[in-house]
Amino acid sequence: MKVFGRYRQRWCVVGVVMTVFITCTIYMATHAVFDADVDLTPPRSVHGPIYPWDKHYRGPLANYDGDPSKEKAEDIIANGVKVQVEAKKEDKAAPKPDKKVPVDFVSEQKAVQLSRHKQLEDTCKKYPQLHIGAINVDTQRHILVNEKHKLLYCFVPKVGCSNWKRVLMKLVGKSNKPLAEITSDEAHYKHGMRRLQAYKPEDQKKMLETYTKFVYARNPFVRILSAYKNKYGDVVMYRKETYFHQFAKKMIKKYRENPSQRALETGENATWTEFVKYLTDPAKNYFDDHWEEMFKLCSPCKIKYDYIGHLETIGADAKYMLDTLGLSSQVEYPSPKTSHPTNSTSTFENSFSELTIAQLKGLWQIYQKDFELFGYEKPDFLPSTV
């Protein structure tokens, strides 16, 4: 019994020692594991990025913004391993998303569109007569239909419509040429799209309700100067487009003192002031689409356009629209390689400085609604009394 008692005492001591040893071992192991810092620094690996702030990343962390300063801890799964990102007020060492990422661009463009839509809505309320009646034939004739992508485009001459027709031609598969090789004649006459006017009334109604609709505007005074320079300021171009001769002949006959017989017969070299006299004549001369008011061509108070673009910012406006519609991978709006002379501030100011106060007032009365509807500021050179 004494021997058994001694063995029992020895085993008790051994048991206590073993228990202490095991407990210490477990404590040290778990302490080392759970107190280890989580390193969020992107590794310099030849195997490619695994972090979501890298713009090329498409892996399991694609929805994580790379910022661990959350209101509460989150569990992130990376390569099958669960990592807990602890809540922090601010971690200056953590990588930050690039400030130039498309998210900023999209946010800015959304704000621009909201502003333009509000301007349009407020102005439409100011002129309730613009809501009255059905959509006119002119508007039906100016809306091109892209059935494949469910798009309606109201084109306004002298507002980048040639390039938009080229873009739409590519989208509907009408041309395999690069955009730069599609001629103006092809864009205007062989684009392969029907106009809204060609559809039955019930189909028109459905398209206007369900299709994505867009329109582009331009400073109204710059637009009419561009129209004059394009149709009458260039004699070579003028001779090619015989349709516009009738208007030039009328301008010269009615507004020029002692015109030559050749000028009366050809209509060549009609001046800018003669063109303005034609526009502002109280007799209400015929307005071609190239100088017709934009609101008359596209009825913005009757049609709720999803995108309102400006030629002055067409690069950003077109990119935003094509991006949000998921079409930018198929086509891009062409960037202008050279500036147009009618966009020059000096050319614009010099041309309008030639006009009388009465002529300026007359132009403002015609195009005032276009200025207001599409958010263009009243020109400084207009009299304050206008």
Side-chain angles (χ1 to χ4, degrees):
M1 293 298 292
K2 290 181 179 181
V3 174
F4 177 77
R6 286 197 300 269
Y7 278 111
R8 185 173 59 180
Q9 289 176 354
R10 290 176 184 176
W11 279 110
C12 285
V13 172
V14 172
V16 171
V17 172
M18 291 297 293
T19 301
V20 171
F21 174 76
I22 293 170
T23 301
C24 291
T25 301
I26 293 173
Y27 171 77
M28 294 299 293
T30 55
H31 178 77
V33 171
F34 292 108
D35 280 4
D37 292 331
V38 177
D39 184 8
L40 294 178
T41 304
R44 296 178 180 179
S45 170
V46 296
H47 301 296
I50 65 166
Y51 285 86
W53 45 81
D54 188 294
K55 62 183 179 181
H56 303 295
Y57 179 77
R58 295 293 182 270
L61 289 179
N63 295 323
Y64 176 50
D65 63 8
D67 183 4
S69 56
K70 305 294 184 180
E71 293 182 1
K72 59 182 181 180
E74 291 182 35
D75 287 330
I76 307 298
I77 304 298
N79 298 327
V81 179
K82 194 178 217 183
V83 180
Q84 188 177 59
V85 183
E86 294 184 356
K88 297 181 181 179
K89 292 295 181 181
E90 182 179 5
D91 188 350
K92 294 181 180 179
K96 301 295 182 183
D98 189 348
K99 292 182 179 180
K100 296 181 181 179
V101 294
V103 173
D104 290 341
F105 171 75
V106 171
S107 299
E108 291 171 2
Q109 289 303 307
K110 281 183 179 179
V112 168
Q113 287 297 316
L114 285 172
S115 176
R116 290 176 184 171
H117 279 90
K118 187 177 188 310
Q119 175 67 28
L120 183 63
E121 291 170 6
D122 290 345
T123 309
C124 288
K125 292 176 183 177
K126 180 180 176 181
Y127 299 106
Q129 69 272 21
L130 299 183
H131 295 275
I132 299 173
I135 296 170
N136 62 53
V137 175
D138 269 355
T139 297
Q140 294 178 26
R141 191 167 55 86
H142 276 82
I143 293 181
L144 295 178
V145 180
N146 176 342
E147 294 187 37
K148 181 178 180 180
H149 301 93
K150 298 186 182 300
L151 297 174
L152 297 181
Y153 166 49
C154 187
F155 67 91
V156 178
K158 308 312 300 174
V159 188
C161 67
S162 298
N163 277 335
W164 269 120
K165 289 175 182 177
R166 291 183 175 100
V167 168
L168 293 172
M169 284 179 73
K170 296 289 287 184
L171 287 175
V172 299
K174 189 63 178 177
S175 176
N176 293 321
K177 294 181 180 179
L179 288 177
E181 295 180 13
I182 300 175
T183 67
S184 292
D185 283 347
E186 289 173 329
H188 291 305
Y189 308 116
K190 298 179 181 179
H191 50 67
M193 289 170 288
R194 299 169 68 190
R195 302 183 185 222
L196 188 66
Q197 183 186 27
Y199 292 85
K200 296 178 180 178
E202 56 269 27
D203 293 330
Q204 291 183 25
K205 183 176 183 295
K206 183 177 180 180
M207 289 174 176
L208 287 167
E209 290 174 349
T210 61
Y211 279 27
T212 298
K213 301 167 287 294
F214 68 101
V215 62
Y216 274 73
R218 185 181 191 179
N219 180 295
F221 281 1
V222 177
R223 175 174 170 255
I224 60 172
L225 177 59
S226 177
Y228 165 75
K229 287 186 168 293
N230 179 245
K231 303 306 177 187
Y232 302 113
D234 185 335
V235 175
V236 175
M237 287 296 297
Y238 174 78
R239 289 174 179 171
K240 292 179 180 179
E241 297 189 275
T242 57
Y243 165 76
F244 291 96
H245 293 189
Q246 57 183 313
F247 308 116
K249 292 176 184 178
K250 185 174 182 178
M251 293 174 204
I252 292 173
K253 181 179 180 179
K254 189 170 184 179
Y255 308 114
R256 183 176 297 183
E257 292 184 8
N258 304 317
S260 68
Q261 188 60 35
R262 175 175 171 76
L264 290 171
E265 291 175 355
T266 64
E268 291 181 3
N269 298 310
T271 66
W272 163 242
T273 54
E274 288 168 347
F275 178 66
V276 172
K277 287 178 180 178
Y278 176 90
L279 297 181
T280 57
D281 194 321
K284 303 293 183 183
N285 291 311
Y286 176 78
F287 270 41
D288 176 73
D289 297 353
H290 289 76
W291 50 84
E292 179 76 277
E293 299 97 305
M294 292 182 285
F295 79 88
K296 289 183 178 178
L297 295 178
C298 291
S299 303
C301 292
K302 296 177 182 177
I303 298 175
K304 189 173 180 61
Y305 288 98
D306 300 283
Y307 297 91
I308 302 171
H310 285 180
L311 184 64
E312 294 80 1
T313 55
I314 199 165
D317 293 347
K319 175 176 171 52
Y320 171 70
M321 190 187 87
L322 293 172
D323 281 352
T324 54
L325 293 176
L327 300 174
S328 56
S329 61
Q330 300 179 46
V331 68
E332 292 182 356
Y333 188 90
S335 300
K337 294 181 179 179
T338 57
S339 61
H340 299 286
T342 50
N343 288 341
S344 162
T345 301
S346 59
T347 301
F348 176 75
E349 292 179 348
N350 290 339
S351 297
F352 278 83
S353 67
E354 299 173 10
L355 306 180
T356 66
I357 296 297
Q359 289 168 347
L360 290 172
K361 286 183 177 179
L363 288 176
W364 178 250
Q365 289 173 359
I366 295 169
Y367 296 103
Q368 179 181 358
K369 291 185 179 69
D370 275 350
F371 273 94
E372 295 180 8
L373 286 163
F374 294 105
Y376 289 96
E377 294 184 2
K378 179 181 175 181
D380 293 336
F381 53 74
L382 282 174
S384 58
T385 54
V386 172

